[in-house]
Amino acid sequence: MTTTMLSSSQNKQTNQNKLSLKEQFFHLYLTTIKQNIGPALIYGICMILAVVLPTFGKAIQLDGSNFYFFRSSLSFALIGFIAPVLMAAMLFHYLHDRLSIDFYHSMPISRKKLFLSKYFAGLSLLLAPLVVTKILCFIIHVAFFYPSPSIGVLLLNNLSDLFFWASMYIVVFTVSCMVAVTSSNVMESILYSIGLNGLLGGLLGIFIFLVSSLPHITFFIPIIKWICPYTTMVYYVELNMYADSISAQCLIAAAIWLLISVGVLFLTLRFYQHYQSEWAQMWGRQSMISQIMKVAAGLMMMTIFFYIKFLGNSNNIPNALLASLVGAPLGFLIVEGITGKGFAGLYKNRRYIALTLCLSLISPLIFITNGFGAVSRIPSVDRIQKISLSEDPAFQYSYYYYPSKDGSYVTPVQSKKITLTSPRAKEIITELHQRGIVGNTEDPNTGYYMSFDYQLSPFKTQMQRYYSFSYHEIPLILELICQPEYIQQSEPVFHYSPSILDGIEVYDKGGKLVYRIPAEHYEQLLETLRADMLTMSGDRLMDSTADPTIGYLSFFLKEYNEKEGINLDLREEFRNLKFDSSSLILRSSYHNTLALLKEWNTVPQNHPSSSIKEIVVSMPFHDSTNNLIDLGFSTHSYRQNAAEAYDTNLRWTISDPELIDKIYSASSLHRTSAACNQVFIPSTQDSYYSKLFIENDLLLSILKDSNLPIPYLLSDKEMEEMQHLKHSDEWVDKPTLDKSHYPSQITGADLFQVSKYTSVAEFARQNSLDWFSGKTEEQLSAMENTALLLPDGALIFYTYLITQP
């Protein structure tokens, strides 16, 4: 009986003690909140000013379909970088004062509960303003945007956004608490918390930067997006600020980081339970985190030195070495000084300084080994999942944009990439990649810029390279451009629908309007054009002889204006439109399209109008001599005023009807090589001229009996060889002439002064260039009679005469 009563009394006393401990825990929790309510209110006001007010301001300007503009992700990210860090530093600042820590740890409560009471108080202070902010944003969304989108969509959008930011704030706060309970002072706590939350992203970013400094490499590792809390928030801002819905991968990443933070919390609790009061204010104490941060700071300073002071394409190896030897120890010392450690203990840290130097020396090693072989590495075709290709050199169309409701102009589809997945496209790209490695080593930056962005199996890793290709690669580039999947993504005809077109007009090569297509025929014409374009091959695309151009089609879009409320019923189509109004060359090989036009009696004739009494042939302008040609399906024919159309000093007027007909028929609507003369066709209605292009060899052949002195134009191959030779040691030395020997005024007649100046043929012979094989009699004669350079080697005629607009 006595035993039973004693046992009952002991249990009652134990329960009272347990209840007391719980009360102490909540009392400390509430006390912590009261002590920090001031900074929390400031933080909440910042949230409202940075998020709620901009959301309201935009809401009164735009319609409901634009609700995704109001996530204010950038504001959440900027606040999330620093607010959780400061919150952790404030809550655990007492650990940096011996008197304070002795007081707290003498309280009749376990260290575990003491830590958790402050940790959960910090979470409450951190998350409450965030939740209130999202509630206010949701109310604004409903007030201005409902019923389109629905309440369910708005609620899901805001809840998803709240989950992400709440998760990331918790993660950053938990990591910052771990740093705070291991630091010696507040400055160290704040600095290292920021550093640790972005550490892995920063280190990986340094490596990516160094590798990307290698020639022709743009390097990126997708995992960097999620590798640390800060990069996760940055990528979320980039991905979701203007998206209709929250990306699922961002929510998954946030959930994973939230789970990781649980492990960090247990580790932090362990650190806190072993914290000694003697550590407080021990400015010289070196924790594991502090050493990691100083090593990372050394690597960062090395990178900054390399980028700002030492970066040079031809001196990357010595510059990287110098940046390592100077920047690495300097970064270590700067952090040592900022955190108040002083420099008395540097000798004790010699191992970490040496480690920093060794890690930094990876940078010159990267350049010595060309990125450990990355410069010459080509992925195997079976590993390539897809290739994103920049639209150079074939991109030639304007992107579509429209006035939004707030008056700003919006480009709905901003991607300038073409995605290729077919086996043949992969083979072409890898072949171009191989040629780019060799060609850019021998003669870099010679022609057509292209960028390859590979996605490789098995982990969807990315590999990006960019090269400039010479004329030798044109056939392979043309084959790539004519791949069906390339055409379907790069040509506006495949993106238009009949409902958004305001007009389609048929023109002949001379710019004369032949026919306006009725709206009821738009769909049939688009389908027929698409089928014909997919039959194009690279060997015909730039061959005006094998596949003559006979005219062009102009496509005009309807006006779409959200501010003025014009054609809003076509909103979805225009918001998914990539290209603006455009033109498309009509080719002789488009049999189905021409048959359709024939049914409508609208086929352009490849002969000049009988009213055209003369045409003008001129030398090319400057933009025609840069070794680039017009790759693709669009026309570059445009109309100019007679006074601006050509240089009167370098023109030849043709009035013979037979010659006009031959030149017109042989001309193209786009420039097919660097050796193209320009042909100007006068309008029958006004004073404007349309510009065509004709290959120099065809023009010489047509005019061989006309006694017109047409100069010889260098081909793509010859132009490249001349420029390469000019910049090499093989360039033939010429005596420098006195300036008085230069013509005071250069005229077209000087192009034929071969008795005074070096001709094209003589130049080729002097430099042992094979420019004579396969040439017609007219070309050989023109080469002998066309002057190229002065006796001192100045390419005055080719660089001055034909470049005058």
Side-chain angles (χ1 to χ4, degrees):
M1 183 73 169
T2 304
T3 303
T4 303
M5 292 179 63
L6 180 61
S7 176
S8 175
S9 176
Q10 290 175 343
N11 289 337
K12 183 177 180 180
Q13 182 66 33
T14 301
N15 291 333
Q16 289 177 346
N17 289 336
K18 288 182 179 179
L19 181 61
S20 177
L21 290 175
K22 289 180 180 179
E23 290 175 347
Q24 290 175 359
F25 173 84
F26 285 110
H27 174 72
L28 190 55
Y29 167 82
L30 294 174
T31 300
T32 302
I33 290 180
K34 292 178 181 178
Q35 290 174 343
N36 294 276
I37 195 68
L41 287 175
I42 295 174
Y43 158 62
I45 292 172
C46 291
M47 275 282 195
I48 293 175
L49 294 176
V51 178
V52 179
L53 290 184
T55 298
F56 178 78
K58 283 290 185 179
I60 62 178
Q61 300 178 28
L62 301 178
D63 57 27
S65 60
N66 285 311
F67 78 95
Y68 52 77
F69 279 98
F70 306 108
R71 294 203 185 99
S72 299
S73 298
L74 182 59
S75 298
F76 280 126
L78 294 176
I79 294 173
F81 285 166
I82 192 64
V85 173
L86 295 178
M87 185 68 69
M90 285 191 301
L91 291 175
F92 295 99
H93 75 282
Y94 67 87
L95 293 175
H96 308 138
D97 181 87
R98 287 190 181 185
L99 294 178
S100 296
I101 194 173
D102 287 340
F103 169 75
Y104 275 98
H105 288 174
S106 64
M107 294 173 63
I109 187 172
S110 68
R111 286 196 179 189
K112 178 180 178 180
K113 292 188 177 182
L114 176 61
F115 170 81
L116 291 178
S117 66
K118 289 189 170 293
Y119 176 80
F120 286 111
L123 284 185
S124 301
L125 294 170
L126 194 64
L127 297 182
L130 178 64
V131 173
V132 171
T133 298
K134 290 305 300 181
I135 291 174
L136 293 175
C137 289
F138 174 69
I139 293 173
I140 293 172
H141 292 168
V142 173
F144 284 91
F145 304 144
Y146 178 78
S148 177
S150 67
I151 292 223
V153 170
L154 291 171
L155 181 61
L156 179 62
N157 187 280
N158 279 273
L159 285 177
S160 300
D161 197 43
L162 175 61
F163 171 78
F164 177 85
W165 289 116
S167 299
M168 298 315 300
Y169 278 34
I170 292 172
V171 173
V172 174
F173 176 70
T174 305
V175 172
S176 301
C177 288
M178 182 180 69
V179 175
V181 301
T182 59
S183 301
S184 300
N185 55 72
V186 174
M187 178 59 71
E188 188 178 272
S189 173
I190 295 173
L191 185 65
Y192 291 168
S193 294
I194 294 173
L196 195 59
N197 277 294
L199 177 65
L200 293 178
L203 294 178
L204 197 54
I206 290 173
F207 177 75
I208 290 173
F209 165 74
L210 292 174
V211 174
S212 297
S213 298
L214 295 166
H216 314 298
I217 291 181
T218 300
F219 185 68
F220 183 73
I221 303 176
I223 197 174
I224 194 175
K225 303 170 184 176
W226 319 110
I227 202 167
C228 66
Y230 281 177
T231 58
T232 301
M233 289 192 284
V234 169
Y235 185 62
Y236 180 86
V237 172
E238 177 186 347
L239 195 62
N240 294 286
M241 185 178 292
Y242 298 108
D244 291 316
S245 59
I246 303 294
S247 171
Q249 60 179 328
C250 292
L251 299 180
I252 294 173
I256 292 174
W257 271 112
L258 197 58
L259 291 175
I260 293 174
S261 70
V262 175
V264 174
L265 177 60
F266 282 106
L267 183 62
T268 304
L269 186 58
R270 179 177 177 84
F271 287 156
Y272 185 82
Q273 288 176 324
H274 290 79
Y275 193 92
Q276 301 178 30
S277 61
E278 295 80 15
W279 292 355
Q281 296 177 317
M282 289 183 61
W283 295 82
R285 183 171 64 88
Q286 303 289 345
S287 66
M288 176 185 65
I289 293 178
S290 68
Q291 297 292 14
I292 292 174
M293 289 296 103
K294 282 182 285 189
V295 171
L299 294 175
M300 182 65 70
M301 188 59 66
M302 175 273 298
T303 306
I304 293 174
F305 266 54
F306 177 70
Y307 177 74
I308 296 178
K309 184 68 177 176
F310 303 123
L311 182 60
N313 292 331
S314 60
N315 298 306
N316 276 338
I317 295 175
N319 290 344
L321 180 62
L322 185 58
S324 299
L325 296 177
V326 175
L330 183 60
F332 192 99
L333 295 177
I334 288 175
V335 174
E336 189 85 349
I338 291 176
T339 55
K341 299 294 183 183
F343 305 115
L346 285 181
Y347 181 75
K348 297 179 181 179
N349 294 315
R350 62 189 182 279
R351 291 177 298 174
Y352 297 102
I353 297 176
L355 175 63
T356 307
L357 280 171
C358 290
L359 292 175
S360 295
L361 289 175
I362 294 176
S363 61
L365 184 62
I366 287 174
F367 295 104
I368 292 172
T369 61
N370 277 326
F372 306 104
V375 170
S376 58
R377 187 175 300 128
I378 301 175
S380 59
V381 174
D382 58 341
R383 282 197 62 204
I384 300 174
Q385 295 178 334
K386 65 179 181 180
I387 303 170
S388 294
L389 179 69
S390 68
E391 294 176 347
D392 292 332
F395 185 70
Q396 52 198 306
Y397 302 105
S398 298
Y399 269 66
Y400 177 72
Y401 62 92
Y402 63 87
S404 63
K405 191 172 182 180
D406 66 350
S408 62
Y409 284 88
V410 177
T411 302
V413 181
Q414 299 181 356
S415 173
K416 294 187 178 181
K417 295 287 186 178
I418 292 175
T419 301
L420 304 174
T421 58
S422 68
R424 181 54 188 158
K426 294 176 183 178
E427 292 173 359
I428 294 173
I429 292 298
T430 52
E431 176 62 23
L432 283 171
H433 191 162
Q434 177 63 54
R435 296 188 187 186
I437 293 173
V438 176
N440 279 270
T441 300
E442 297 175 351
D443 190 15
N445 302 319
T446 55
Y448 306 94
Y449 172 86
M450 297 182 72
S451 174
F452 316 133
D453 190 354
Y454 298 98
Q455 180 175 294
L456 307 175
S457 62
F459 303 112
K460 294 185 178 181
T461 55
Q462 290 178 285
M463 174 180 174
Q464 188 170 355
R465 301 291 184 269
Y466 57 92
Y467 298 98
S468 293
F469 297 99
S470 68
Y471 82 96
H472 295 287
E473 278 63 65
I474 288 179
L476 199 58
I477 294 173
L478 290 176
E479 184 181 356
L480 178 65
I481 290 173
C482 291
Q483 293 297 303
E485 59 182 340
Y486 192 109
I487 295 174
Q488 290 169 340
Q489 295 177 70
S490 64
E491 292 301 315
V493 169
F494 290 86
H495 297 255
Y496 293 152
S497 65
S499 59
I500 64 173
L501 289 172
D502 192 41
I504 303 177
E505 296 177 346
V506 185
Y507 291 85
D508 65 12
K509 284 200 301 191
K512 179 182 178 181
L513 177 62
V514 177
Y515 185 64
R516 289 187 175 90
I517 307 294
E520 59 267 22
H521 294 329
Y522 288 175
E523 185 170 1
Q524 185 180 9
L525 180 62
L526 287 173
E527 291 178 357
T528 305
L529 274 172
R530 292 165 184 165
D532 280 335
M533 292 175 69
L534 293 178
T535 65
M536 180 56 66
S537 60
D539 58 341
R540 300 198 328 265
L541 185 60
M542 302 303 295
D543 194 335
S544 59
T545 302
D547 193 2
T549 60
I550 62 173
Y552 61 94
L553 298 171
S554 286
F555 298 87
F556 303 97
L557 298 179
K558 291 178 180 177
E559 181 182 2
Y560 176 71
N561 190 316
E562 292 186 348
K563 184 176 183 180
E564 303 296 333
I566 300 175
N567 286 322
L568 294 182
D569 56 316
L570 299 173
R571 172 181 293 165
E572 292 304 315
E573 290 191 74
F574 277 104
R575 285 191 171 182
N576 292 295
L577 186 60
K578 183 175 184 179
F579 297 106
D580 208 334
S581 299
S582 65
S583 62
L584 177 71
I585 293 175
L586 278 174
R587 302 174 182 273
S588 300
S589 61
Y590 291 178
H591 301 300
N592 296 322
T593 302
L594 295 180
L596 189 62
L597 294 177
K598 187 175 181 180
E599 292 180 13
W600 303 332
N601 296 317
T602 60
V603 179
Q605 300 301 310
N606 198 18
H607 299 284
S609 170
S610 59
S611 60
I612 295 178
K613 302 304 180 182
E614 65 178 25
I615 62 174
V616 178
V617 176
S618 81
M619 294 286 281
F621 293 161
H622 177 68
D623 62 354
S624 302
T625 62
N626 56 6
N627 206 29
L628 296 177
I629 61 177
D630 301 325
L631 303 180
F633 293 75
S634 176
T635 173
H636 284 255
S637 177
Y638 54 88
R639 306 179 74 219
Q640 292 179 294
N641 187 277
E644 303 171 349
Y646 45 76
D647 187 339
T648 57
N649 188 41
L650 298 168
R651 67 167 180 166
W652 297 269
T653 301
I654 311 295
S655 57
D656 186 309
E658 184 178 352
L659 294 180
I660 291 176
D661 183 72
K662 290 181 179 179
I663 293 174
Y664 185 95
S665 300
S667 297
S668 174
L669 281 158
H670 62 166
R671 186 179 52 198
T672 52
S673 78
C676 278
N677 288 93
Q678 298 173 135
V679 179
F680 293 93
I681 310 297
S683 169
T684 58
Q685 300 173 342
D686 50 40
S687 61
Y688 282 79
Y689 282 69
S690 293
K691 184 167 73 171
L692 304 178
F693 301 90
I694 185 171
E695 288 285 348
N696 183 246
D697 60 337
L698 292 176
L699 181 63
L700 291 171
S701 176
I702 293 171
L703 299 177
K704 62 182 178 181
D705 298 324
S706 66
N707 296 322
L708 288 175
I710 304 298
Y712 178 83
L713 296 181
L714 300 184
S715 67
D716 296 294
K717 172 180 176 293
E718 292 160 353
M719 181 80 76
E720 184 173 280
E721 288 180 349
M722 182 190 69
Q723 295 295 344
H724 181 68
L725 182 62
K726 181 181 177 182
H727 294 91
S728 71
D729 295 334
E730 301 174 23
W731 184 250
V732 176
D733 293 328
K734 300 288 183 180
T736 303
L737 294 181
D738 185 84
K739 291 184 179 180
S740 62
H741 289 83
Y742 283 84
S744 59
Q745 182 176 359
I746 303 297
T747 67
D750 289 307
L751 277 171
F752 306 100
Q753 299 296 324
V754 294
S755 61
K756 296 169 56 179
Y757 313 122
T758 304
S759 69
V760 174
E762 183 61 24
F763 174 82
R765 284 190 288 266
Q766 289 179 359
N767 294 281
S768 302
L769 299 172
D770 183 17
W771 288 5
F772 305 100
S773 300
K775 297 295 174 63
T776 65
E777 183 179 341
E778 295 79 28
Q779 286 179 288
L780 293 173
S781 176
M783 291 173 68
E784 297 287 353
N785 294 297
T786 301
L788 182 65
L789 70 163
L790 292 172
D792 68 343
L795 299 168
I796 191 163
F797 299 121
Y798 225 85
T799 59
Y800 175 77
L801 274 177
I802 66 176
T803 63
Q804 303 307 300

